[in-house]
Amino acid sequence: MSKTVLVSGGAGFIGSHVTVELTQAGYDVVIADNFSNCDETNYKGVCAILGKELPLVRMDFCDKAAVDALFAKYPIDAVIHFAAFKAVGESVDEPLKYYHNNLLSFINILEVAKEKGCNVLFSSSATVYGQTDVLPVTEQSPRQPATSPYGNTKTMCEDILRDSVKAYPGLRGIALRYFNPIGAHPSALIGELPRGVPNNLVPFITQTAIGKRACLSVFGNDYPTPDGTCLRDFIDIVDLAKAHVCAVTRMVEGRMKEEYEIFNVGTGRPVSVLELINSFERVNGVKLNWKFAPRRPGDVVAIWADPTLAEKELGWKAERSVDDTLKSAWAWELHLAGK
Ligand code: WQD
């Protein structure tokens, strides 16, 4: 019998790609989303890619009664939790909004999951590593104090999951630490849809290339890196989604080695901001208007993953090249523009 996976925040950027990969791997997926930070574009795209309507529950995970009702209605074997606020700058201005939403929604899920003996996959972030001199980072690398309330909610939710699986028999958890997810589905039917001015690099690049933004600011050119711009581990969104299928399968098949496990999800290859811009222009044959600007407060100089553990334990590794990923990001922006 096929297993059922609840994807909280399943209408968002990462959640929609994960939903597609899970469904194609044979899982039944229930999407739950409050649409606070997205519209139905990606949900409709998911259904178009899969050729069927998936169950969609409009709800807020801060509403415990709604979470109870959801678990009563569906036979949920595993939960992947994406439903969270994610704007770093906003979290500095409105920390309580972030602590309230990101912690309470996760606690509500764990309260029910512990009763049902359910598996929980938490969507964490490389942000928990902060800046470290020892690169690449492994899962054993020490976490640093978070530089924003958003980042702190990732660290805190990891700890909440770790402590909960220790205390409640039958509850198992995996935290996946994402590096920088970019790109879009090869169909160009789902992708990243930031509201307002994008904070992240690739949506800013594609929106500048299409003419929605006048000019991309490259934050900092005097970092101690080969070309003076920051180094990141840009991971293709479909590759990242596939890591979730591997992790969920490991959980539901009872193959976890410990009740709580952590995996880096990255490529292991550092790419600079300038390299990424140059690759975008080259592979898509478009010219980008960009200029250097002062450093952005809070940015780490360089971070990239050691993804060895995910390959060994999950049988997962990144496959798509940065070039192909940047082509998919551009195809998605063209699709949004109706071109
Ligand atoms: C990448 C690089 C910028 C925009 C953030 C979160 C992290 C994670 C992913 C999200 C940096 C530079 C960016 C621009 C630029 N979680 N840049 N001009 O900061 O590595 O990670 O997103 O939910 O927790 O912190 O990603 O894409 O914002 O920036 O020069 O207009 O691009 O300075 O060096 P970041 P990013």
Side-chain angles (χ1 to χ4, degrees):
M1 218 181 80
S2 62
K3 302 277 187 186
T4 301
V5 182
L6 166 65
V7 179
S8 84
F13 172 46
I14 303 179
S16 58
H17 288 81
V18 169
T19 296
V20 168
E21 296 305 314
L22 281 171
T23 308
Q24 289 177 338
Y27 287 97
D28 292 330
V29 177
V30 177
I31 296 173
D33 209 298
N34 68 357
F35 292 92
S36 66
N37 196 33
C38 65
D39 61 19
E40 285 198 8
T41 307
N42 275 334
Y43 173 69
K44 287 180 182 151
V46 165
C47 297
I49 291 166
L50 297 172
K52 63 176 178 186
E53 290 275 305
L54 291 194
L56 168 65
V57 182
R58 289 166 190 280
M59 58 169 285
D60 190 330
F61 282 85
C62 290
D63 177 353
K64 177 67 166 39
V67 181
D68 287 336
L70 182 69
F71 276 78
K73 182 166 179 193
Y74 295 99
I76 295 164
D77 297 290
V79 184
I80 307 183
H81 181 53
F82 294 112
F85 295 146
K86 60 168 189 168
V88 177
E90 184 188 50
S91 79
V92 175
D93 297 335
E94 295 186 70
L96 293 179
K97 175 178 168 181
Y98 275 68
Y99 288 120
H100 179 85
N101 183 68
N102 292 7
L103 300 186
L104 184 57
S105 59
F106 193 45
I107 290 168
N108 281 344
I109 286 174
L110 290 172
E111 292 274 9
V112 188
K114 81 173 174 34
E115 297 305 321
K116 306 259 178 194
C118 201
N119 304 283
V120 177
L121 194 161
F122 177 62
S123 136
S124 191
S125 168
T127 197
V128 301
Y129 294 118
Q131 181 62 73
T132 161
D133 294 335
V134 186
L135 289 163
V137 288
T138 73
E139 292 78 359
Q140 303 307 318
S141 301
R143 296 181 310 180
Q144 312 269 352
T147 53
S148 73
Y150 159 76
N152 206 19
T153 65
K154 292 295 180 193
T155 306
M156 292 167 90
C157 284
E158 282 194 355
D159 290 348
I160 291 169
L161 183 57
R162 180 202 60 206
D163 295 346
S164 300
V165 298
K166 205 191 282 175
Y168 305 117
L171 185 67
R172 285 168 304 276
I174 289 181
L176 296 183
R177 290 179 179 158
Y178 313 145
F179 284 69
N180 287 60
I182 61 166
H185 194 263
S187 65
L189 292 173
I190 55 175
E192 201 165 358
L193 261 180
R195 287 210 164 147
V197 182
N199 293 311
N200 297 117
L201 179 60
V202 169
F204 210 109
I205 289 176
T206 58
Q207 289 196 8
T208 306
I210 203 110
K212 278 191 208 164
R213 311 273 156 214
C215 183
L216 167 76
S217 291
V218 173
F219 300 133
N221 63 354
D222 58 352
Y223 284 105
T225 59
D227 66 17
T229 64
C230 293
L231 296 172
R232 292 290 183 276
D233 185 334
F234 296 100
I235 170 78
D236 178 82
I237 186 67
V238 177
D239 278 339
L240 179 109
K242 287 179 175 163
H244 294 72
V245 178
C246 298
V248 162
T249 303
R250 180 179 175 93
M251 291 199 294
V252 299
E253 289 183 355
R255 288 193 279 107
M256 289 176 68
K257 292 194 174 152
E258 291 167 52
E259 295 113 341
Y260 174 57
E261 296 179 328
I262 302 168
F263 298 102
N264 283 342
V265 183
T267 67
R269 289 185 304 272
V271 172
S272 78
V273 172
L274 272 191
E275 282 174 321
L276 198 81
I277 291 170
N278 291 336
S279 299
F280 180 85
E281 290 185 317
R282 176 174 46 78
V283 299
N284 293 312
V286 293
K287 193 89 198 81
L288 199 68
N289 193 21
W290 66 269
K291 63 173 191 320
F292 284 122
R295 291 181 178 193
R296 184 172 69 175
D299 273 341
V300 297
V301 180
I303 182 114
W304 67 95
D306 178 339
T308 311
L309 189 67
E311 182 167 4
K312 180 166 169 268
E313 293 295 330
L314 298 179
W316 171 89
K317 70 174 196 272
E319 284 169 354
R320 217 166 167 200
S321 70
V322 171
D323 284 3
D324 283 344
T325 304
L326 291 172
K327 280 187 205 163
S328 74
W330 183 230
W332 165 244
E333 192 68 60
L334 291 171
H335 168 79
L336 287 176
K339 293 183 183 167

